[in-house]
C-alpha cells in the first residue's frame, strides 16, 4: 500500500512536470529523424540546391533493416542521455532540497521508496521507447519495406531491458550523491565505459548487457534471435537488481547532514 | 510511566562530540523545551530521537515493550526548515504523508481535513504549496507531523523563523496540542520556552547542563521584589508607594519602579488595591524571579 502511494505520487509528479508529454515526443523525434532524412535526402538536396551542374549523386537507399537500426542507434545514444537526465534527480533532488527529511520522518521503507520511484520512471521510459519505435516502424514500413510486428515488438522489449539497467545505474548514483549533475555525469561515464569494454572484449564477454543493441541489429538483418541476447538480458536484469539493492542499503545507512 | 528515555546519547562527527552523553527522559503529556545556543547540538539530538541518524553511542528506549516497531510510527517530526513537494497542494501533501504512515486513503483524507482546520489552512488547502507564505508552511509542517497521531511530537525550532504573528499562532497551536500529546521542541528563544513548556532541557556544546521543571529551575527562594511600569506616570507615585506598610523600598528604574517588599503576598494585594483605587495606568506588574535568560547566561558562563 505504501509502495502504491509513492508510485502514484511519482506518476503524478512526472505528469505535472509534463514528462509524460515531452519525453515521448523527444523520443519520437529521435527515432524517426534518421530514417526520414535518409529517405528524403535526394529530394532535400534537390530543393536546397547548390549542387553543381552535372554532379551525379548516387545515394543508396538504406535497406529496411538499416533504416530500422538507425532508429535504435539514435535512441541508444540520445535516448540514453534523456533517460539519464529525467532520472538524475529522482532521489538526489529530494535529499538536497530537504523533502526527503519530511518524507522519511514517516515510517517509509527504503525499499519501497527506491523501487516505487524506479518503476515509475521505468514506465515512462518504456512507454516512450515503445511509442517512438512503433512510430518509426510505421514509417519504415511505408517507406522502406516490411518488418514484422512480432520482430519489432521483440526488439523493443529487449531494448527496454537495456534501459532498465541504465535507470538502475542512475538510481544507484542517486542514492549517494546530492548533485544531480554529478549523478548524470557518473551514470553516463559508467555506461560509456561498459560499452567500450564490451566492444573491445565482445568476443569474450558475449553476455554484456551493452551488446543487446548489437544483437537487436543482427536480429533485423538475419531475422534470427541470437542466443546471447538472453544472457545479456539476464546480465542487465542482474545489474539492475544489484544496483537497486545497493541503492537501498546506501540510503538506509546514510545519515542526513 | 516514561514515554521515552535516553541514556548516554552521543553523536560524534570527525572526533568531536556534537552530542555528548545526554541522559534524560520524557513523561507523557508534557511539553518540554530543548534550549541552547546555536550549535549546541539540538538538531542532531532531535534527529536521533526521530530515528533519522544513528547515535554513535547510547540508547533511546521508546516506552519499552509497548512500542517495539520502527520509532517513526510514534514520532511526528518537523524539521527546522520544512521543505515540501511544492507542486502539491497542502491537502494533497497531507494525504500523501498520511498514506505513507499507513493510513488508508480515506482515513488520510479525513485526518488531513481535520488538521488543515486545526492549523487554520482550510482556505488554502487547494493551493499549491509553492504559493504558501513562511508561516503557512510552518503550520503545514506541524500538521504533517501530526497526521499519524504520534505519541511524541518533535519540533525543531518551530517559531524561530517566523514573524511575531506567525510565532503567536504556532505557540497557540503548541498549547493546543499539549492536551493530547507529548511535545519536545527546540528553541534558542527563552521566552517561547517559558511560555508553553513545563520542563526544560538546557544544552550547551553538546552537553546537558540543566534540566527540570520550569518552575523549579526558574524560581528563586524568598522573592522580594516587584517590577512595576506605568503608561502615564502618576503624580507622587514614589511617595504613595512608600506609604504602603509592606513596602520596604522603592527604586526608580529606566522603565518603572522596583519595589522591594517584606511579604510578597500582602504587598501584592496592597499594591494592586492601590493601583485599582487610583486607576493608574499599569502596564507591567512582575514579581521578580530569575528569568530563564539569567539561568542560561549563568549556566553557559560557568
Amino acid at each position: 500500500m505504501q509502495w502504491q502511494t509513492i508510485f502514484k505520487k511519482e506518476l503524478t509528479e512526472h505528469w505535472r512536470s509534463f514528462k509524460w508529454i515531452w519525453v515521448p515526443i523527444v523520443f519520437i523525434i529521435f527515432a524517426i529523424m534518421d530514417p526520414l532524412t535518409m529517405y528524403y535526402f535526394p529530394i532535400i538536396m534537390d530543393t536546397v540546391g547548390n549542387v553543381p551542374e552535372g554532379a551525379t549523386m548516387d545515394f543508396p537507399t538504406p535497406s529496411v533493416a538499416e533504416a530500422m537500426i538507425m532508429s535504435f542507434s539514435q535512441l541508444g545514444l540520445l535516448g540514453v542521455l534523456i533517460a539519464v537526465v529525467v532520472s538524475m534527480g529522482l532521489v538526489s533532488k529530494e535529499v538536497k532540497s530537504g523533502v526527503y527529511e519530511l518524507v522519511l520522518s514517516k515510517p517509509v521503507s527504503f525499499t519501497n521508496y527506491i523501487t516505487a520511484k524506479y518503476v515509475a520512471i521505468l514506465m515512462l521510459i518504456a512507454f516512450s521507447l515503445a511509442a517512438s519505435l512503433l512510430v518509426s516502424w510505421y514509417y519504415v514500413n511505408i517507406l522502406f519495406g516490411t518488418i514484422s510486428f512480432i520482430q519489432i515488438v521483440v526488439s523493443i522489449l529487449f531494448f527496454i531491458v537495456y534501459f532498465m539497467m541504465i535507470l538502475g545505474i542512475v538510481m544507484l548514483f542517486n542514492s549517494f550523491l546530492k548533485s544531480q549533475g554529478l549523478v548524470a555525469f557518473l551514470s553516463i561515464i559508467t555506461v560509456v565505459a561498459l560499452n567500450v569494454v564490451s566492444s573491445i572484449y565482445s568476443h569474450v564477454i558475449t553476455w554484456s548487457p551493452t551488446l543487446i543493441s548489437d544483437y537487436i541489429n543482427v536480429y533485423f538483418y538475419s531475422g534470427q534471435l541470437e542466443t546471447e541476447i538472453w544472457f545479456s538480458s539476464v546480465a542487465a536484469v542482474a545489474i539492475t537488481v544489484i544496483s537497486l539493492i545497493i541503492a537501498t542499503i546506501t540510503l538506509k545507512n546514510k545519515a542526513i547532514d | 510511566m516514561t514515554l521515552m528515555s535516553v541514556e548516554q546519547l552521543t553523536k560524534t562527527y570527525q572526533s568531536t562530540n556534537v552530542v555528548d552523553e545526554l541522559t534524560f527522559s520524557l513523561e507523557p503529556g508534557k511539553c518540554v523545551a530543548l534550549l541552547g545556543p546555536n550549535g549546541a547540538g539540538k538538531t542532531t539530538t532531535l534527529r536521533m530521537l526521530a530515528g533519522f541518524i544513528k547515535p554513535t553511542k547510547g540508547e533511546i528506549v521508546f516506552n519499552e515493550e509497548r512500542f517495539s516497531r520502527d520509532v517513526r510510527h510514534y514520532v511526528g517530526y518537523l524539521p527546522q526548515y520544512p521543505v515540501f513537494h511544492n507542486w502539491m497542494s497542502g491537502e494533497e501533501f497531507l494525504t500523501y504523508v498520511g498514506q505513507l504512515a499507513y493510513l488508508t486513503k480515506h482515513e488520510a483524507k479525513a485526518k488531513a481535513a481535520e488538521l488543515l482546520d486545526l492549523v487554520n489552512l482550510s482556505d488554502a488547502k487547494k493551493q499549491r504549496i509553492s504559493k504558501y507564505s513562511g508561516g503557512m508552511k510552518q503550520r503545514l509542517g506541524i500538521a504533517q507531523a501530526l497526521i499519524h497521531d504520534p505519541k511524541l511530537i518533535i519540533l525543531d525550532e518551530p517559531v524561530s523563523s517566523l514573524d511575531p504573528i506567525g510565532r503567536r499562532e504556532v505557540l497557540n497551536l503548541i498549547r493546543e496540542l499539549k492536551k493530547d500529546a507529548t511535545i519536545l521542541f527546540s528553541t534558542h528563544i527563552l521566552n517561547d520556552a517559558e511560555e508553553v513548556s513545563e520542563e526544560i532541557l538546557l544544552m550547551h556544546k553538546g552537553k546537558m547542563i540543566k534540566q527540570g521543571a520550569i518552575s523549579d529551575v526558574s524560581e528563586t527562594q524568598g522573592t522580594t521584589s516587584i517590577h512595576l511600569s506605568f503608561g502615564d506616570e502618576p503624580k507622587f507615585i514614589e511617595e504613595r508607594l512608600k506609604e504602603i506598610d509592606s513596602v520596604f523600598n522603592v527604586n526608580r528604574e529606566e522603565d518603572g519602579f522596583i519595589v522591594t517588599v517584606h511579604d510578597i503576598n500582602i504587598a501584592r494585594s496592597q499594591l494592586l488595591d492601590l493601583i485599582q483605587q487610583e486607576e493608574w495606568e499599569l502596564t507591567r506588574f512582575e514579581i521578580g524571579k530569575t528569568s530563564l535568560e539569567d539561568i542560561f547566561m549563568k549556566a553557559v558562563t560557568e
Side-chain angles (χ1 to χ4, degrees):
Chain A
M1 197 191 84
Q2 189 182 61
W3 193 91
Q4 279 97 310
T5 305
I6 302 174
F7 178 69
K8 270 189 212 148
K9 173 250 158 194
E10 285 295 311
L11 288 186
T12 321
E13 186 167 7
H14 295 157
W15 176 248
R16 292 207 192 155
S17 56
F18 304 107
K19 280 185 187 150
W20 276 97
I21 298 171
W22 74 258
V23 179
I25 290 177
V26 170
F27 270 47
I28 289 171
I29 293 171
F30 289 157
I32 61 174
M33 198 169 54
D34 270 12
L36 286 191
T37 37
M38 281 316 275
Y39 185 81
Y40 290 110
F41 196 66
I43 301 170
I44 294 169
M45 285 312 279
D46 266 358
T47 348
V48 179
N50 286 343
V51 184
E53 245 356 273
T56 50
M57 285 197 299
D58 196 16
F59 293 106
T61 324
S63 70
V64 196
E66 277 168 343
M68 201 62 236
I69 287 167
M70 280 174 190
S71 296
F72 276 86
S73 57
Q74 261 323 329
L75 288 175
L77 289 172
L78 299 172
V80 168
L81 218 60
I82 298 290
V84 169
V85 167
V86 292
S87 53
M88 65 187 181
L90 283 181
V91 179
S92 62
K93 202 172 87 188
E94 292 199 357
V95 172
K96 194 174 184 187
S97 77
V99 202
Y100 180 76
E101 203 179 351
L102 263 196
V103 170
L104 266 288
S105 73
K106 298 288 173 271
V108 173
S109 125
F110 292 93
T111 316
N112 284 348
Y113 183 76
I114 288 282
T115 53
K117 278 176 173 292
Y118 175 76
V119 175
I121 199 76
L122 178 62
M123 273 185 58
L124 169 69
I125 295 297
F127 171 78
S128 307
L129 282 172
S132 57
L133 288 166
L134 285 173
V135 170
S136 155
W137 172 71
Y138 170 78
Y139 281 113
V140 167
N141 265 345
I142 293 175
L143 303 175
F144 297 92
T146 8
I147 285 177
S148 78
F149 182 66
I150 300 292
Q151 206 174 6
I152 185 73
V153 168
V154 169
S155 306
I156 289 174
L157 289 178
F158 279 112
F159 208 44
I160 287 174
V161 172
Y162 174 56
F163 273 79
M164 258 173 77
M165 180 193 73
I166 287 163
L167 292 174
I169 291 170
V170 181
M171 286 309 273
L172 173 61
F173 285 118
N174 253 298
S175 69
F176 58 85
L177 296 171
K178 266 191 189 176
S179 147
Q180 296 185 49
L182 209 55
V183 170
F185 178 72
L186 289 178
S187 306
I188 287 166
I189 291 283
T190 310
V191 174
V192 169
L194 278 177
N195 266 300
V196 169
V197 173
S198 311
S199 49
I200 294 174
Y201 299 102
S202 59
H203 51 289
V204 190
I205 31 177
T206 51
W207 46 267
S208 167
T210 56
L211 295 176
I212 288 179
S213 44
D214 295 18
Y215 296 133
I216 290 174
N217 296 353
V218 176
Y219 182 42
F220 279 122
Y221 282 123
S222 68
Q224 291 296 312
L225 209 51
E226 302 278 316
T227 336
E228 280 86 352
I229 198 169
W230 290 104
F231 299 129
S232 298
S233 304
V234 170
V237 172
I239 291 177
T240 310
V241 172
I242 292 168
S243 298
L244 292 183
I245 291 174
I246 297 176
T248 310
I249 295 172
T250 315
L251 272 193
K252 210 179 268 180
N253 292 331
K254 170 151 73 179
I256 307 168
D257 33 38
Chain B
M1 194 190 70
T2 312
L3 183 72
M4 180 187 250
S5 55
V6 175
E7 294 264 339
Q8 306 223 299
L9 189 67
T10 303
K11 182 75 195 178
T12 312
Y13 284 123
Q14 285 133 22
S15 78
T16 38
N17 290 343
V18 180
V19 174
D20 199 357
E21 306 217 328
L22 298 190
T23 300
F24 63 92
S25 59
L26 298 175
E27 307 298 323
K30 286 259 167 70
C31 177
V32 180
L34 181 62
L35 283 162
N38 291 329
K42 302 186 297 280
T43 297
T44 312
T45 306
L46 295 183
R47 279 181 170 171
M48 282 193 280
L49 297 185
F52 276 130
I53 38 181
K54 287 196 189 90
T56 315
K57 213 175 75 192
E59 246 180 55
I60 301 167
V61 181
F62 206 72
N63 205 338
E64 314 208 6
E65 298 94 359
R66 278 182 48 220
F67 307 113
S68 51
R69 283 194 293 170
D70 188 339
V71 85
R72 296 179 294 175
H73 285 279
Y74 317 110
V75 175
Y77 175 66
L78 171 70
Q80 188 167 0
Y81 307 105
V83 183
F84 307 90
H85 290 299
N86 283 332
W87 53 272
M88 288 186 180
S89 70
E91 189 184 28
E92 279 174 325
F93 189 80
L94 287 184
T95 314
Y96 172 56
V97 291
Q99 286 181 279
L100 289 181
Y102 294 98
L103 300 180
T104 64
K105 185 164 194 177
H106 188 73
E107 288 166 347
K109 272 202 163 152
K111 189 73 191 171
E114 186 191 320
L115 288 172
L116 283 165
D117 222 28
L118 177 73
V119 300
N120 219 345
L121 282 176
S122 292
D123 296 338
K125 67 180 178 185
K126 300 276 183 208
Q127 249 178 57
R128 295 240 170 149
I129 299 175
S130 50
K131 300 236 164 67
Y132 281 22
S133 69
M136 288 162 90
K137 282 188 180 165
Q138 204 70 14
R139 280 181 282 148
L140 183 65
I142 291 178
Q144 69 76 32
L146 300 173
I147 193 92
H148 55 313
D149 287 319
K151 300 272 178 275
L152 173 64
I153 302 165
I154 295 179
L155 310 170
D156 194 358
E157 302 272 1
V159 292
S160 315
S161 61
L162 299 177
D163 62 18
I165 298 167
R167 183 176 152 270
R168 174 75 17 231
E169 285 171 346
V170 169
L171 286 176
N172 288 340
L173 197 54
I174 291 178
R175 210 171 275 135
E176 196 67 30
L177 298 175
K178 278 209 302 207
K179 292 170 189 160
D180 322 294
T182 310
I183 300 171
L184 174 63
F185 76 101
S186 73
T187 179
H188 58 265
I189 301 168
L190 301 149
N191 277 338
D192 299 339
E194 247 171 340
E195 209 167 303
V196 293
S197 57
E198 287 94 29
E199 274 183 37
I200 59 161
L201 303 168
L202 189 55
M203 276 183 86
H204 184 54
K205 291 188 179 158
K207 289 197 168 65
M208 186 75 75
I209 51 176
K210 200 141 218 161
Q211 53 180 303
I214 214 156
S215 47
D216 291 348
V217 181
S218 64
E219 226 153 30
T220 47
Q221 306 298 313
T223 306
T224 52
S225 70
I226 297 173
H227 194 156
L228 294 175
S229 300
F230 297 94
D232 232 359
E233 196 176 301
K235 279 179 186 169
F236 309 117
I237 178 156
E238 252 179 287
E239 289 71 19
R240 297 297 301 274
L241 288 172
K242 277 178 184 163
E243 280 168 18
I244 300 174
D245 54 11
S246 62
V247 169
F248 174 69
N249 193 17
V250 177
N251 273 330
R252 182 179 281 277
E253 291 276 305
E254 214 175 312
D255 57 343
F257 302 91
I258 303 278
V259 182
T260 320
V261 299
H262 296 296
D263 184 314
I264 196 76
N265 290 319
I266 300 171
R268 175 171 35 215
S269 52
Q270 285 181 335
L271 276 168
L272 287 174
D273 279 349
L274 177 70
I275 291 160
Q276 177 118 40
Q277 186 193 322
E278 298 291 331
E279 294 180 355
W280 286 339
E281 201 184 322
L282 183 69
T283 56
R284 178 176 180 182
F285 186 95
E286 190 180 8
I287 310 242
K289 59 176 180 182
T290 335
S291 71
L292 268 178
E293 184 136 6
D294 300 331
I295 302 169
F296 191 83
M297 292 314 292
K298 199 165 159 247
V300 166
T301 48
E302 249 165 28

